């Protein structure tokens, strides 16, 4: 009985060690779905290597440059609203650097944006 209990605890601990990192990644988005979304929505303006500037800025480390993921999502959905209505400092700074190039609005869900971010981060 004690031996079976010990084996159960060891197996449970082993499962947690291996499963938790994957559960965390899944919560942040599906990079494979993000790759497809990136190719269909972002690749025409942002370089595929995520490091170089294209028509738009490099995307590597994009999440670290925003104060919250919610504001990054809002930027992706409607950059001009973040610039003109919200007057978010990061949005205004991007506009000042890249104008007159306007990032088009995207009708993407939060989940789809999270998938794109997961792809950018992988």
């Amino acid at each position: 009985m004690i031996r079976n209990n010990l084996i159960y605890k060891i197996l449970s601990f082993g499962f947690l060690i291996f499963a938790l990192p994957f559960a965390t990644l899944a919560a942040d988005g599906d990079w494979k779905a993000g790759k497809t979304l990136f190719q269909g929505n972002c690749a025409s303006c942002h370089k595929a290597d995520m490091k170089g500037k294209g028509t738009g800025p490099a995307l590597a480390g994009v999440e670290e440059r925003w104060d919250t993921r919610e504001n990054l999502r809002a930027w992706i959905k409607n950059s001009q609203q973040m610039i003109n209505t919200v007057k978010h400092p990061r949005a205004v700074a991007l506009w000042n650097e890249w104008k007159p190039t306007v990032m088009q609005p995207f009708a993407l869900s939060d989940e789809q944006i999270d998938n794109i971010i997961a792809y950018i981060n992988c």
Side-chain angles (χ1 to χ4, degrees):
M1 177 75 170
I2 294 174
R3 182 173 183 225
N4 288 342
N5 193 16
L6 180 62
I7 291 171
Y8 174 77
K9 286 181 182 181
I10 291 170
L11 289 175
S12 296
F13 181 72
F15 175 77
L16 285 175
I17 288 174
F18 291 106
L20 277 178
F22 294 107
T24 302
L25 288 174
D28 289 338
D30 175 358
W31 72 268
K32 289 181 182 177
K35 179 178 181 180
T36 301
L37 288 163
F38 178 88
Q39 290 170 338
N41 294 284
C42 314
S44 62
C45 295
H46 298 280
K47 294 214 173 190
D49 71 358
M50 310 297 171
K51 296 175 185 170
K53 293 180 178 182
T55 303
L59 295 179
V62 68
E63 197 166 13
E64 289 80 33
R65 295 190 296 270
W66 283 86
D67 55 348
T68 65
R69 185 173 276 204
E70 290 74 27
N71 283 331
L72 174 56
R73 287 181 188 134
W75 166 260
I76 293 167
K77 289 178 182 181
N78 192 336
S79 64
Q80 292 302 298
Q81 181 178 30
M82 289 294 285
I83 295 163
N84 298 319
T85 305
V86 177
K87 299 190 186 316
H88 187 279
R90 177 73 184 139
V92 172
L94 281 168
W95 174 245
N96 288 333
E97 182 179 352
W98 290 90
K99 67 183 170 186
T101 303
V102 175
M103 186 166 101
Q104 70 178 28
F106 290 97
L108 296 168
S109 70
D110 288 349
E111 180 181 357
Q112 289 173 313
I113 292 171
D114 289 346
N115 293 341
I116 294 169
I117 294 169
Y119 172 65
I120 291 168
N121 290 336
C122 74

